[in-house]
Amino acid sequence: MLREKQYILRQASGAVDLLLIFVAFLFAHALRTLLSIYITPDLLPPSRIGYYGWLGIAAPLVFVIVLAWNGFYQPQRLGQRPAAAARTLVLVCFEAMLLLVALDFMFGDQLAPGGGRTTSRAMILILPPLVWGLLMLRLWALRLILRRRQALDLRRVVLVGSGRPLVDFAAAVTDNPLWGIVITGIITDRPELQGPAFDPAAVPEAALGPPVLADLVRAPEALWSHPIDEVIFLPESVPLARLRPLFEVCEEMGVRTHLPLNFFKGRIARPVIDALGEIPVLSYWPTRDIGPALLFKYAFDRVAASLALVVLSPLLLGVALAVRLSSPRGAPVLFRQTRCGLNGRLFTLYKFRTMRPGAEAERDSLVALNEQSGPVFKIRRDPRVTTLGRFLRKYSIDELPQLWNVLRGEMSLVGPRPPLPGEVAQYDRWQRRRLSMKPGITCLWQVGGRNTLPFDTWMKLDLHYIDNWSLTLDFRILARTVYVVLTGHGAM
């Protein structure tokens, strides 16, 4: 019943929001007309609603899509607290306004009557505050309705369990009266209080307030003798197999059962309900799951890498020729090296060769000159680097062949730099999480200091990127990369 009500509430909320945003559009037109006639006639010329009628159709759709994108219609967000809702709506209104400005810029000429650009910018600026006010009013009314209806539509629930899970759930019910849950009683799963030893007064959870109805042995009779809508299992002291008979009793009685899956509260990982065939599973994702934004990132990577390889082909050919002419006969133009990619998958990374042939074999003799902490090997004036190679490294031109790795799907434009397998073998456990996202050509620490930063700072910046990833962050890093490459800041 709860899911059906949530579905109906989501659909009704979306429909009401469409109507309210259209009403906000009419109010915005009326306000703009008043401004143009009585307050700022010199700044705002008179206009008719037909000049921007397309906005009355586009605005409700755009706002509701952005609301859904920001999770505004998820069950836990319906009836949310006013302060949290107000912050979310500010972000929604700003994003929707940017989209409407973009639509007007791209299609305003075609949508306006007669093909003339007559859409009022004032309308697009006035509309978001009005939408914010009407949606806040809708939320206030929804909370008021839910509070009044909960007394008429309460769900009588019995909790089965003990210990911290039961205490935390009871506290959550108390803190969320809009759930409409009344705890009718508790069935304890404490092993020491089963059978003849059962004593309701001896159950510690009795202090929570709801009566202790029974132990697991007497549970079927207790459920039969009380009007109960749902049973929520919160096991602490017994395995799930011990509760299977009670699940079967509830099934026979037609009582809905729930099993909360918050037994593990990860600091980073997020629980996701998934399925392997017909087997339901609870997955914990320490990184973002595949969604529209991440799919766009990977699609953009392929398209941008393809275009870059085409546009930069004269430069790539010129650099390849320069490396060939400045090298001994038979020396390769490209440097190939095995790196660790997503979740430790090995792949071949490509770079223009910047060192003399056989430089890898000389590394052991130069370990004492290493200027970087941790498992990384870096020397500011590496004697193995050629004169041309030093120039290519300063402006990161040697990294351009990695666009081929991006095109192959082994790397991304932005992401943690791919490490060597030998470096990964020396990682601490917390550092290995940087492999949970596809590696990139540029990353957060490369635009914040590059090789001048210590190794631990690299790791922390990479994990910060993974935990706070967004398309906006990617484009900011790409923009800063252009500056860092042109200036050669932090290169070794």
Side-chain angles (χ1 to χ4, degrees), residues 207-352:
L208 296 175
V212 178
L213 302 179
D215 59 355
L216 294 178
V217 176
R218 299 172 178 83
E221 291 79 8
L223 295 178
W224 182 264
S225 59
H226 290 81
I228 295 168
D229 298 314
E230 301 172 14
V231 175
I232 299 177
F233 290 85
L234 302 151
E236 169 73 3
S237 306
V238 297
L240 286 176
R242 176 73 174 82
L243 299 175
R244 185 178 300 164
L246 195 52
F247 274 101
E248 294 173 351
V249 169
C250 293
E251 182 183 31
E252 292 174 359
M253 294 174 57
V255 174
R256 181 170 293 182
T257 56
H258 304 277
L259 181 64
L261 299 175
N262 60 340
F263 50 85
F264 169 65
K265 297 181 179 179
R267 293 177 292 107
I268 301 169
R270 297 167 291 103
V272 177
I273 301 297
D274 206 344
L276 298 175
E278 296 183 356
I279 304 174
V281 296
L282 176 67
S283 305
Y284 285 90
W285 288 68
T287 57
R288 290 176 179 267
D289 53 345
I290 293 294
L294 205 54
L295 287 175
F296 177 85
K297 171 184 171 71
Y298 292 155
F300 176 81
D301 284 340
R302 301 288 182 91
V303 173
S306 302
L307 293 175
L309 286 171
V310 172
V311 173
L312 298 176
S313 56
L315 174 63
L316 296 173
L317 292 173
V319 173
L321 181 61
V323 173
R324 170 68 69 190
L325 295 176
S326 62
S327 302
R329 182 183 296 273
V333 171
L334 293 178
F335 173 70
R336 297 171 175 84
Q337 191 175 49
T338 300
R339 296 289 183 105
C340 291
L342 180 64
N343 293 325
R345 293 178 176 85
L346 300 180
F347 71 98
T348 300
L349 177 139
Y350 298 94
K351 302 173 69 173
F352 282 122

Side-chain angles (χ1 to χ4, degrees), residues 60-343:
L61 294 175
V62 167
F63 271 95
V64 169
I65 290 172
V66 175
L67 284 167
W69 178 268
N70 284 274
F72 202 71
Y73 299 120
Q74 294 177 1
Q76 66 271 24
R77 303 289 290 276
L78 297 171
Q80 63 181 318
R81 299 182 184 278
R87 290 192 295 269
T88 302
L89 286 178
V90 169
L91 176 62
V92 165
C93 290
F94 179 73
E95 292 175 347
M97 183 180 69
L98 292 181
L99 286 175
L100 291 174
V101 170
L103 287 174
D104 179 53
F105 179 77
M106 292 185 292
F107 306 111
D109 288 337
Q110 293 79 16
L111 295 172
R117 177 168 290 280
T118 54
T119 302
S120 171
R121 304 300 185 274
M123 278 290 296
I124 298 179
L125 294 175
I126 294 171
L127 185 58
L130 293 176
V131 170
W132 184 90
L134 287 177
L135 292 184
M136 285 298 296
L137 183 63
R138 194 269 288 173
L139 283 174
W140 173 82
L142 178 62
R143 287 178 60 84
L144 183 62
I145 292 171
L146 291 177
R147 284 185 180 278
R148 291 188 176 182
R149 277 193 57 84
Q150 67 173 346
L152 304 175
D153 194 21
L154 294 175
R155 290 181 293 141
R156 301 174 65 85
V157 170
V158 167
L159 306 184
V160 179
S162 61
R164 178 54 55 187
L166 193 147
V167 172
D168 289 346
F169 187 85
V173 170
T174 302
D175 293 339
N176 295 274
L178 294 181
W179 289 357
I181 291 178
V182 172
I183 301 176
T184 302
I186 296 171
I187 295 175
T188 183
D189 69 348
R190 290 182 178 273
E192 70 276 10
L193 295 176
Q194 302 297 310
F198 173 68
D199 178 9
V203 178
E205 289 77 22
L208 296 175
V212 178
L213 302 179
D215 59 355
L216 294 178
V217 176
R218 299 172 178 83
E221 291 79 8
L223 295 178
W224 182 264
S225 59
H226 290 81
I228 295 168
D229 298 314
E230 301 172 14
V231 175
I232 299 177
F233 290 85
L234 302 151
E236 169 73 3
S237 306
V238 297
L240 286 176
R242 176 73 174 82
L243 299 175
R244 185 178 300 164
L246 195 52
F247 274 101
E248 294 173 351
V249 169
C250 293
E251 182 183 31
E252 292 174 359
M253 294 174 57
V255 174
R256 181 170 293 182
T257 56
H258 304 277
L259 181 64
L261 299 175
N262 60 340
F263 50 85
F264 169 65
K265 297 181 179 179
R267 293 177 292 107
I268 301 169
R270 297 167 291 103
V272 177
I273 301 297
D274 206 344
L276 298 175
E278 296 183 356
I279 304 174
V281 296
L282 176 67
S283 305
Y284 285 90
W285 288 68
T287 57
R288 290 176 179 267
D289 53 345
I290 293 294
L294 205 54
L295 287 175
F296 177 85
K297 171 184 171 71
Y298 292 155
F300 176 81
D301 284 340
R302 301 288 182 91
V303 173
S306 302
L307 293 175
L309 286 171
V310 172
V311 173
L312 298 176
S313 56
L315 174 63
L316 296 173
L317 292 173
V319 173
L321 181 61
V323 173
R324 170 68 69 190
L325 295 176
S326 62
S327 302
R329 182 183 296 273
V333 171
L334 293 178
F335 173 70
R336 297 171 175 84
Q337 191 175 49
T338 300
R339 296 289 183 105
C340 291
L342 180 64
N343 293 325

